[in-house]
Amino acid sequence: MDRRKQRISLSDKMSKLIYLDRFLFAGAGCLVVGISCLISFLFLYGLAEDRFNKRQMNPAYFDSYTASGYSSTEIQYLTDYFAEHTKEGYRLYMGFDSTLKPFILCSEGDLPAELQALLDYTYGQEDDPLPEAVRISGFCRPLNSEIMGFARDSYSMMWDESEQIPISSDELSDMVGNYYLDIRSFSFQEEYPWSKAVFGFPVLFLFAGVLYLIRYLKRLKACRKRMEGWLEWLPAADREFADAKEFKKGLKIYLTGHYLILAVYYFDMIPLADIEELSENLNILMAVAKDGSNHMIIERHRCRGCYDQLKAELYKKIQEIKDIQQFSQADYNF
């Protein structure tokens, strides 16, 4: 029968050591964290977006002196724009309420018809009928020195084009406040572009989890391939392993009567009789098999306090096996 097709029934203890690899736990852990965070972030994202939409349906009162978020106010008069951002396409206007209190507003493209009517009236004839005040809504945004500079130049010439009225930035700030009303339309994603970036956190965990699981499957495939060469003595090793205890708790090194069983870095088994010698390089304990293969056992820093003890115990076991083999050979020759 082809050795590749033989199936060996292993104990639960051996199966756990083979399949419960650290990469499986790392991959599963990352996926659990990633999925949990993704679900939580989707819930919070939906909650924030719903709150954003509700806030737009119920805006606060726009106060140009304090930050009021999404807010609204009534405008009765509107002057022509005093500044335009050519790259982003928005314009800044000076508006007035019914008491002639000025404030700055921002709009994009052509003005809505009702605002255009206010602008036309502002520059029209005195006997033109007064349009109804228009309620506008938008985001309350802080004024910067550049905007205030343009606004001051415009305001100083607003009342008399032939003569500039001297006005300081502080005086203008006392009149228009510290914030302007941005009446451009923004979606939740446009207003908070970083909101989608938070999903990078769970996606990163999901990606790491998939990579860990791919690595786990590759290691498992390599382990099964190695086990194809162990079919003759694997059942015997499994029986000895049933009563074996870890050399040190949590180390995943098992030393039975005839086998060295490892799961420190990857699952490996070596019959003690097949170990030619123990070697040490850069504080890494290695087992050199008779076929020339090298098996990594443990690094010194991972086995503090028991590294030398493990090395001595392994050497003793290997020597005992060799002595028994030599004695059996001598007895056979005799």
Side-chain angles (χ1 to χ4, degrees), residues 37-38 41-42 44-45 193-204:
C37 289
L38 184 60
F41 288 174
L42 283 172
L44 293 174
Y45 184 88
W194 50 264
S195 59
K196 287 187 177 180
V198 299
F199 289 101
F201 180 74
V203 167
L204 183 63

Side-chain angles (χ1 to χ4, degrees), residues 81-84 92 94 104 142-158 164-173 176-177 180:
Y81 66 90
F82 61 84
E84 179 180 18
L92 295 168
M94 188 77 72
I104 296 173
L143 287 166
N144 57 42
S145 58
E146 185 178 16
I147 294 177
M148 290 298 287
F150 288 122
R152 187 184 62 177
D153 293 342
S154 174
Y155 192 84
S156 64
M157 298 291 294
M158 186 178 298
Q164 185 173 9
I165 301 174
I167 183 172
S168 68
S169 296
D170 291 338
E171 289 173 332
L172 182 63
S173 181
V176 301
Y180 69 94

Side-chain angles (χ1 to χ4, degrees), residues 253-301:
I253 294 179
Y254 301 84
L255 189 57
T256 71
H258 299 87
Y259 301 94
L260 173 61
I261 303 172
L262 307 166
V264 182
Y265 307 102
Y266 53 87
F267 181 76
D268 197 9
M269 283 198 295
I270 320 162
L272 295 176
D274 288 350
I275 298 178
E276 183 68 29
E277 63 174 344
L278 295 177
S279 67
E280 189 175 5
N281 185 27
L282 299 176
N283 287 322
I284 301 175
L285 186 61
M286 305 282 292
V288 182
K290 291 179 180 179
D291 61 3
S293 60
N294 292 285
H295 302 260
M296 185 174 179
I297 300 175
I298 193 72
E299 295 170 282
R300 181 179 287 274
H301 73 86

Side-chain angles (χ1 to χ4, degrees), residues 7 44 64 102 183 206 209 215 227 249-250 255 297 303 312 324-325:
R7 298 181 66 86
L44 293 174
S64 61
I183 64 172
L206 291 173
R215 181 76 180 275
M227 290 175 66
K249 189 174 181 180
L255 189 57
I297 300 175
C303 191
I324 292 173
Q325 287 178 335

